[in-house]
Amino acid sequence: MDLLRILIAILLPPLGVFLQVGFAGAFWLNILLTLLGYIPGIIHAVWIIARR
């Protein structure tokens, strides 16, 4: 299941984080990072998924 979340995080980083933590602070941070740059959003999403 984590592999699927990581693939989703690469395509749509906020969705990957949402599937992992819901509407927590990490989700909103990931939206901000994705808006500032796609790569930081991907890195943050993969980090959140791998950490839990």
Side-chain angles (χ1 to χ4, degrees):
M1 189 65 173
D2 282 344
L3 181 62
L4 180 62
R5 286 186 185 139
I6 289 174
L7 290 174
I8 291 171
I10 292 171
L11 297 174
L12 295 168
L15 180 60
V17 174
F18 174 76
L19 292 174
Q20 187 71 26
V21 299
F23 282 113
F27 171 73
W28 299 108
L29 177 61
N30 190 267
I31 287 180
L32 178 65
L33 287 171
T34 302
L35 289 174
L36 292 175
Y38 190 67
I39 300 299
I42 291 173
I43 293 169
H44 179 257
V46 171
W47 181 70
I48 290 292
I49 292 167
R51 186 176 60 135
R52 295 183 183 216

